[in-house]
Each structure stands twice: as C-alpha cells, then as structure tokens.
Amino acid sequence: MKIAICDDEMISLDRACMMLENWASLRSIPLEIQRFTNGDDLLTALQSGCPDLVFLDVVMPLFNGIDTARELRTANETLPIIFLTSSREFAVDSYEVKALNYLIKPVSKEHLFAVLDDFIQKIQKTGEVFMAQTPLGFCKINIADVDYLEAQNKQVLVHLSNGTTLQIRKQFTRCEEVFTGERGFFRCHRSYIVNMKRIEQFSKDTIMTDNQVELPISRNSYMAFKEAYFNYMFDSDTL
C-alpha cells in the first residue's frame, strides 16, 4: 500500500508517519510512505505515480491543502483524500473536493487506525483497480465503477457510474485485455466496451445503460453479445 502525506510541520509529519507505520505493522500490510512538505511537490510527484491514499494538511503557506486538493481533482477524480489539520474552518470546503475524511489534530492513534481500517474495507469491497494515465498524471480506477469505455481520436474515454468521464492514454485494444468478459464487460462495437451490469435494456442495434446512455451494437457483434449478456445475467456468481 502506498500513502502520500503532505504537511509543512515536521513534528506533525513525523508523528503521522510513525502512526501509519505502526498501523501497517499491526495489520501486516506492506506500506510505502511518500513525505511532502508542500502541495507543489506533491502534485509534481503525482504526475508520475499514484498512491492509494493522500493525507493533506490544510493550513500550509502559499498553496494550502484545499487548493492542492482542487488542483489534484482536475487530474484525478477518484484518488482518496483525508485532511489532517488543526483547523475546523475548512471542513465544508473538504466536501467540495470529495474528501474521504477530515481529521482534527492531534488525532489519536485509535481514531486514525479506525479511519484506515474503514478505508481498507472499502478497497476490498470495490475489488480490482485499473491504473490509467491521464493527460495530467496517473490515477486508479475501480473496474466495478466503469459504465463503459469509448475509443475517441487515439484516446480512450472512461465513463464512470458517478457521471465522471476520464480521458486516458491507452490503446483501446489494450483496454479490452483488462475489461474482459470474465469481469463482466463486452466489446459491443469497435469503439465501445460496456459493463454488462450497467445495461438497462437492449435491442438488435442499441444498448441503453442505467444512466440512460445509448450505445451502439455492431451487426456482427449482436449474437455474441446477446449470448454473453444472458450468460452473465444467469451466472449464479452475478445474481
């Protein structure tokens, strides 16, 4: 597990890292911690790699934690963020950037451990993830959160169930190697791969998702799609 933590106060940074290492040791979880003392360095690092979780102090000089989180969200809609700060006044702002939690310093070991345990449980429930490169950096996408993928001008658009669309740098054929039938996906058209769990209805030439998006089915794919869809629907593992 990789955690990035950004805090301009070295004492707070050291204490948080010590508690994170203690938690990981007690849970037998391999842990890599990336330490940052300002938002600029954190954002630069995220362009070449994506942690599983980010801890952000709010009150920092020049570029505070909320501004850092806003900038982060322009490149990565899904990366979990936990604010760890001595100030309560930015709690409302944390909702704007979809923060996972907002912890007030000095946070107790028991409280931090409980938050981390909840986070691990959420990861386990969401299942597999897909590492994707966006124009601004890397992000992790929960495969179960994907409605469909769309090939567009040498890019791939990943449409998520929360309405977010991510543009990723990956060949569409390579995406097909990840979003497979075994994972509940089907390439219904040369430009579309659909999550069969998200299908509301279909005809011979179109699919309607549960978000009311209409996708095409190619003529040559219809029979194979129909067979794959009904096999998926009646598979005891998917009921």
Side-chain angles (χ1 to χ4, degrees):
M1 181 177 182
K2 184 184 293 184
I3 295 178
I5 180 166
C6 183
D7 195 323
D8 65 311
E9 297 179 353
M10 292 305 299
I11 293 177
S12 296
L13 186 60
D14 290 341
R15 182 173 183 272
C17 289
M18 183 179 65
M19 287 194 293
L20 291 172
E21 290 169 350
N22 187 205
W23 170 80
S25 176
L26 291 171
R27 304 297 189 269
S28 299
I29 295 175
L31 177 66
E32 177 186 341
I33 298 177
Q34 297 175 300
R35 297 163 55 113
F36 303 93
T37 57
N38 63 79
D40 283 334
D41 288 347
L42 170 64
L43 292 170
T44 298
L46 292 181
Q47 292 179 9
S48 57
C50 183
D52 299 293
L53 178 64
V54 171
F55 281 91
L56 263 178
D57 186 20
V58 173
V59 183
M60 295 187 291
L62 299 179
F63 208 42
N64 68 35
I66 298 295
D67 290 336
T68 300
R70 288 192 183 110
E71 191 69 22
L72 188 157
R73 281 287 177 252
T74 63
N76 192 321
E77 286 280 345
T78 60
L79 179 60
I81 299 171
I82 294 177
F83 287 110
L84 186 61
T85 180
S86 57
S87 173
R88 295 180 182 273
E89 64 178 294
F90 296 97
V92 174
D93 293 320
S94 71
Y95 290 103
E96 177 191 335
V97 293
K98 303 174 185 177
L100 181 65
N101 217 316
Y102 190 95
L103 306 180
I104 301 297
K105 297 178 185 178
V107 62
S108 69
K109 181 174 71 173
E110 292 75 18
H111 190 185
L112 181 62
F113 282 19
V115 169
L116 290 167
D117 288 342
D118 286 345
F119 174 68
I120 288 296
Q121 288 181 4
K122 287 179 181 178
I123 288 179
Q124 292 171 343
K125 287 180 181 178
T126 55
E128 296 178 277
V129 296
F130 171 60
M131 179 65 77
Q133 183 180 7
T134 72
L136 298 177
F138 287 84
C139 69
K140 291 180 180 178
I141 302 170
N142 291 322
I143 289 178
D145 290 340
V146 175
D147 275 7
Y148 65 98
L149 296 92
E150 177 184 0
Q152 189 178 94
N153 299 327
K154 298 184 179 180
Q155 300 283 330
V156 175
L157 302 181
V158 181
H159 300 269
L160 304 181
S161 54
N162 65 2
T164 301
T165 298
L166 300 176
Q167 185 184 63
I168 66 171
R169 294 174 176 171
K170 197 172 186 71
Q171 292 181 354
F172 197 60
T173 53
R174 299 300 301 272
C175 291
E176 193 175 11
E177 296 171 5
V178 176
F179 295 89
T180 62
E182 289 75 18
R183 292 187 170 117
F185 289 82
F186 189 88
R187 186 169 180 174
C188 59
H189 183 274
R190 61 189 176 89
S191 299
Y192 292 92
I193 298 173
V194 64
N195 184 345
M196 290 187 283
K197 187 177 181 180
R198 305 296 184 188
I199 294 174
E200 185 75 22
Q201 62 184 44
F202 68 90
S203 64
K204 285 190 174 181
D205 53 12
T206 59
I207 291 169
M208 183 68 71
T209 72
D210 53 12
N211 277 340
Q212 302 304 298
V213 176
E214 190 175 282
L215 305 177
I217 303 176
S218 67
R219 182 180 302 176
N220 293 335
S221 298
Y222 175 69
M223 294 304 296
F225 164 75
K226 186 170 73 169
E227 181 180 359
Y229 178 72
F230 284 115
N231 284 341
Y232 172 80
M233 290 300 295
F234 290 108
D235 190 321
S236 60
D237 290 337
T238 66
L239 296 177

